[in-house]
Amino acid sequence: MHQPLNQLNVSVRDRMAALFLEHAQQKNYAQTDKLFAVLMILQWLAGIAAAVWISPQTWIGASGQTHWHVWAAIFLGGTIAGFPVFLALKFPGKPETRETIAVSQMLFSTLLIHLTGGRLETHFHVFGSLAFLAMYRDWRVLAMATVVVAADHFFRGVFWPQSVFGVVAASPWRWVEHAGWVVFEDIFLFISIQQNVHEMSEVARKQAELECLNADIEKQVAARTQELTAEQELLRSLMNSLPDAIYFKDTQSRFTRINPALANFFGLANPEAAVGKTDADFQQGAAAQQKMADEQSIFATGQPILNLLEKSCVGDKSSWVSTTKVPLRDAQGKITGLVGISRDVTTQMQSETQQRLLEVQLHEARKLEAVGQLAAGIAHEINTPIQYIGDNTRFAQESVATIFKVLRSHEELLAAAKKSALTPEVIAPAEQLVAASDLNYLYAQVPAAIKESLDGVERVATIVRAMKEFSHPGGKEKIAADLNRAIESTVTVARNEWKFMADVKMDLSPDLPHVSCFLGEFNQCILNLVVNASHAIGDVVKKNPGTKGIITVQTRRDNDHVVVRVTDTGTGIPEKVRPHIFEPFYTTKDVGKGTGQGLAITYGSIINKHGGTVSFETEMGRGTTFILRLPILPRSAESAAKNQEVNVSLSK
């Protein structure tokens, strides 16, 4: 079912009206006008023939002679036919033309009826004329023709019945009967005209819809063509302008298109020279094979490769590139090839390598600075046990000398006893020596002095081991380390920094797993946090002399991470300072007390090198807690090997 006319699209409705008027009605009007032009001439000739052969016999009887009707047929018929023929040929399709033809056609019918003396057969010419006039598909033409016929039958029926009915006298209502048959035919012709007009409208509507659809399609095609042209121009501009290597490949890893930048790297004067070739035609060895393997993986899985760092070598030229490759699919989703973009990052890699070297140097300098700052404290820590080790050793030396004297006197007594010469005179000096030596005192104090000396040696050894572990430079790769032991060593080394300000509480998880880390950098981070905590507590102690704060170092496991928390009971961090505490060289300490690098180094090391996080919790007047989260598992060996390869190659 088609849409009602008032619901059609405006453009369709307008085009439908134009087609219906121009190509349906007007064309039909013009063709029918030309048909009647021929028909008029034929009817005129037929009227002359009727006047010559039929009219005399009809009107006079058996004898025939040239009747005045012949001249009427020639001249009146010519007049009736001439004007509509002229209009049909000169103004086809005009309303005046078809209306004139309708009147003339009916007048021809009246002329033929008159020429035949009102014979019944010629009355059928009226019905035939109406059928021909219906070809106009215009009810107004039929209405005008019907009026002419009815008027003719009425007037001639009243004043000249013999010319229309073939009788001398006729009923005054006989014209109504004839007019009624004409109207009867008109009813069916009107219905036929309405159906034909409806069919013509449907044809015009369908053609209008088709034309509008075609026009829309053509507009869409033109717009899409323009878009494609613009996209092609944009792609061409990008391909020719970007310094990055851009290329397209089929599923066999053969180049289908490359840009001038890649052609220049391959040493080609024309980018089209690479079409149909593979990386193996330009690069040798494992690099080309690896690229083909990566691309075949894309075709097999449909997964893109993003920001892959790879080395490209062509002849004596080599560079590091960051490559992204994505699959190309057709309308059905089938992979038809890939597009790749490779950006030369050699300079960037070299800069990053230099930056990493500078970071290492800065870290080592910071470490040496920390060691230097701790040296005086460590010397003091070692000096105390060394002093009492020396005092006890001297006491032991003197005590041993006294004991040796007593032993020698007893040796003399033993020799005298063997000779049976043991007399009171021999025994008396030995007794005096024993009494003077106070052996009971030596029995009690010498073991205690030796024990204190051993404790002092152990204390010195502990400090030296802690210093050694803290100062160990570490390797270039992460190692599985005992963080609890590292924290204990660092806290021990920094003891002189905090012992006058705070007590340190160690809450270390006994089941803490070893963590893959750069141990030297981790030690530096803990030292930075402990020293910062001591300084924060120092600000509180200055206001409350004779008091001490508490530094708590806690370790816990949290799923696949280890969490280290360093808490102080200091002043807390002011609101306006909090956004800046991890910025390099930012410090609120007095000149000479801090460089502003401690927290920045800690932040960079934990996040950038260990893949962890650094955060803090603080409350003014209550203190601050710094929280380090480190992943337990190390990076993959492949990733580490790739970085090592890059570093080695760039250093070369």
Side-chain angles (χ1 to χ4, degrees):
M1 182 179 295
H2 65 273
Q3 289 181 299
L5 185 61
N6 59 354
Q7 295 182 8
L8 292 177
N9 183 279
V10 175
S11 59
V12 175
R13 186 168 65 246
D14 293 343
R15 183 56 182 160
M16 171 184 169
L19 288 172
F20 181 75
L21 178 62
E22 178 182 354
H23 296 286
Q25 286 187 324
Q26 287 299 117
K27 184 177 180 180
N28 177 65
Y29 291 156
Q31 290 177 344
T32 306
D33 286 343
K34 294 178 180 180
L35 173 64
F36 271 102
V38 176
L39 184 60
M40 287 291 178
I41 296 174
L42 294 177
Q43 289 179 137
W44 178 51
L45 297 176
I48 295 173
V52 173
W53 287 293
I54 299 176
S55 181
Q57 300 294 331
T58 302
W59 285 84
I60 299 177
S63 62
Q65 60 182 1
T66 301
H67 196 273
W68 66 272
H69 289 168
V70 174
W71 308 114
I74 293 173
F75 296 106
L76 182 59
T79 302
I80 294 173
F83 186 58
V85 169
F86 168 76
L87 292 178
L89 297 178
K90 188 66 176 177
F91 305 104
K94 295 291 185 179
E96 298 82 1
T97 301
R98 57 181 175 272
E99 291 169 358
T100 302
I101 289 175
V103 173
S104 298
Q105 183 64 27
M106 290 300 100
L107 292 178
F108 248 118
S109 295
T110 60
L111 178 60
L112 290 176
I113 292 172
H114 174 77
L115 293 176
T116 58
R119 292 172 63 95
L120 181 62
E121 300 90 278
T122 54
H123 280 269
F124 284 100
H125 186 273
V126 174
F127 298 109
S129 296
L130 291 174
F132 273 96
L133 290 173
M135 294 174 64
Y136 279 113
R137 299 186 179 94
D138 187 352
W139 64 270
R140 290 179 292 270
V141 173
L142 289 180
M144 184 172 293
T146 300
V147 170
V148 172
V149 170
D152 170 71
H153 280 57
F154 171 74
F155 287 109
R156 284 201 295 163
V158 172
F159 300 105
W160 201 355
Q162 186 177 6
S163 69
V164 64
F165 300 126
V167 295
V168 177
S171 170
W173 297 103
R174 190 171 181 178
W175 70 273
V176 176
E177 177 186 354
H178 283 259
W181 284 110
V182 173
V183 172
F184 180 76
E185 182 183 6
D186 284 343
I187 293 173
F188 291 98
L189 291 177
F190 286 162
I191 294 174
S192 176
I193 289 172
Q194 184 63 29
Q195 290 177 346
N196 287 335
V197 169
H198 178 72
E199 291 174 358
M200 290 168 62
S201 298
E202 280 298 297
V203 172
R205 181 183 65 82
K206 292 179 180 179
Q207 185 175 351
E209 290 178 347
L210 182 60
E211 288 183 1
C212 291
L213 179 61
N214 288 337
D216 289 340
I217 292 175
E218 289 178 357
K219 289 180 180 178
Q220 293 177 8
V221 170
R224 184 56 181 161
T225 301
Q226 186 176 3
E227 291 177 2
L228 290 175
T229 302
E231 290 177 359
Q232 290 177 349
E233 182 62 25
L234 177 61
L235 177 60
R236 186 193 65 80
S237 178
L238 291 175
M239 292 280 287
N240 294 338
S241 303
L242 287 179
D244 298 339
I246 305 175
Y247 48 89
F248 296 83
K249 291 185 177 183
D250 60 19
T251 54
Q252 301 301 316
S253 294
R254 294 174 300 203
F255 290 106
T256 58
R257 184 176 182 181
I258 68 172
N259 70 334
L262 184 57
N264 181 60
F265 182 74
F266 284 161
L268 302 176
N270 186 357
E272 295 183 359
V275 175
K277 297 181 179 180
T278 66
D279 284 298
D281 294 313
F282 303 102
Q283 304 183 52
Q284 302 298 325
Q289 297 177 358
Q290 182 61 47
K291 290 181 179 180
M292 181 169 290
D294 291 340
E295 291 165 2
Q296 292 305 313
S297 174
I298 293 176
F299 299 141
T301 64
Q303 297 298 318
I305 293 177
L306 304 176
N307 301 322
L308 174 66
L309 187 64
E310 57 185 5
K311 192 172 185 179
S312 294
C313 299
V314 176
D316 58 350
K317 295 186 295 185
S318 65
S319 62
W320 285 96
V321 295
S322 176
T323 297
T324 294
K325 299 177 182 179
V326 297
L328 298 175
R329 302 177 185 271
D330 58 16
Q332 288 72 38
K334 181 181 178 182
I335 296 177
T336 58
L338 64 82
V339 58
I341 301 178
S342 297
R343 172 167 293 181
D344 190 337
V345 294
T346 304
T347 303
Q348 179 182 351
M349 293 294 296
Q350 292 173 343
S351 299
E352 291 178 355
T353 301
Q354 293 175 355
Q355 182 179 358
R356 285 196 293 269
L357 292 175
L358 290 175
E359 289 177 355
V360 171
Q361 294 173 358
L362 178 61
H363 173 73
E364 293 300 325
R366 173 63 178 169
K367 195 169 186 179
L368 291 175
E369 178 189 2
V371 171
Q373 292 176 349
L374 296 174
I378 293 172
H380 179 75
E381 290 295 317
I382 293 177
N383 184 60
T384 300
I386 288 295
Q387 277 187 339
Y388 65 72
I389 289 173
D391 293 342
N392 288 336
T393 302
R394 284 189 291 272
F395 171 73
Q397 183 182 20
E398 295 173 355
S399 298
V400 169
T402 301
I403 292 172
F404 282 173
K405 290 179 181 180
V406 173
L407 289 176
R408 281 194 293 271
S409 68
H410 279 71
E411 287 178 353
E412 292 175 356
L413 290 176
L414 181 61
K418 289 181 179 180
K419 296 177 181 181
S420 299
L422 191 63
T423 63
E425 293 78 6
V426 175
I427 295 173
E431 289 178 342
Q432 294 175 358
L433 182 60
V434 169
S437 298
D438 196 4
L439 292 178
N440 290 331
Y441 174 78
L442 295 179
Y443 292 156
Q445 294 300 320
V446 169
I450 294 175
K451 183 178 183 302
E452 286 183 357
S453 298
L454 292 175
D455 290 342
V457 170
E458 180 61 28
R459 176 62 181 163
V460 172
T462 299
I463 295 173
V464 171
R465 281 196 303 270
M467 191 63 184
K468 182 180 179 181
E469 291 179 2
F470 175 79
S471 302
H472 193 280
K476 294 182 179 180
E477 298 297 328
K478 291 181 179 179
I479 60 172
D482 184 350
L483 298 191
N484 286 344
R485 181 175 177 180
I487 291 171
E488 290 173 343
S489 299
T490 303
V491 171
T492 299
V493 168
R495 185 172 184 273
N496 200 61
E497 291 287 331
W498 52 261
K499 69 177 182 178
F500 300 108
M501 302 292 179
D503 294 325
V504 173
K505 178 182 177 182
M506 308 287 278
D507 182 12
L508 307 180
S509 175
D511 58 348
L512 195 71
H514 285 202
V515 175
S516 178
C517 67
F518 296 101
L519 184 57
E521 295 194 16
F522 176 77
N523 289 338
Q524 181 68 51
C525 294
I526 297 300
L527 175 63
N528 293 338
L529 296 181
V530 170
V531 171
N532 276 358
S534 174
H535 290 170
I537 292 174
D539 294 336
V540 176
V541 172
K542 287 180 181 179
K543 298 178 182 179
N544 302 280
T547 63
K548 294 179 72 174
I550 297 176
I551 300 174
T552 304
V553 183
Q554 182 190 76
T555 59
R556 292 291 186 272
R557 178 170 184 169
D558 183 11
N559 295 325
D560 56 351
H561 284 72
V562 164
V563 180
V564 180
R565 302 171 69 93
V566 179
T567 304
D568 64 65
T569 56
T571 58
I573 303 175
E575 184 74 29
K576 64 179 181 179
V577 174
R578 296 172 189 176
H580 308 288
I581 62 172
F582 295 118
E583 295 177 3
F585 304 106
Y586 183 84
T587 181
T588 58
K589 300 176 184 178
D590 296 335
V591 177
K593 195 173 182 180
T595 63
Q597 287 292 316
L599 290 179
I601 290 176
T602 300
Y603 187 85
S605 175
I606 297 301
I607 290 181
N608 298 330
K609 294 188 177 181
H610 292 86
T613 61
V614 180
S615 59
F616 67 92
E617 300 170 353
T618 186
E619 183 178 350
M620 294 302 296
R622 298 291 299 273
T624 302
T625 298
F626 282 92
I627 306 165
L628 310 182
R629 285 178 56 88
L630 289 87
I632 296 174
L633 298 178
R635 292 178 301 170
S636 66
E638 179 182 355
S639 176
K642 175 66 74 174
N643 285 341
Q644 182 178 8
E645 177 187 352
V646 172
N647 292 334
V648 171
S649 176
L650 289 174
S651 64
K652 290 181 180 179

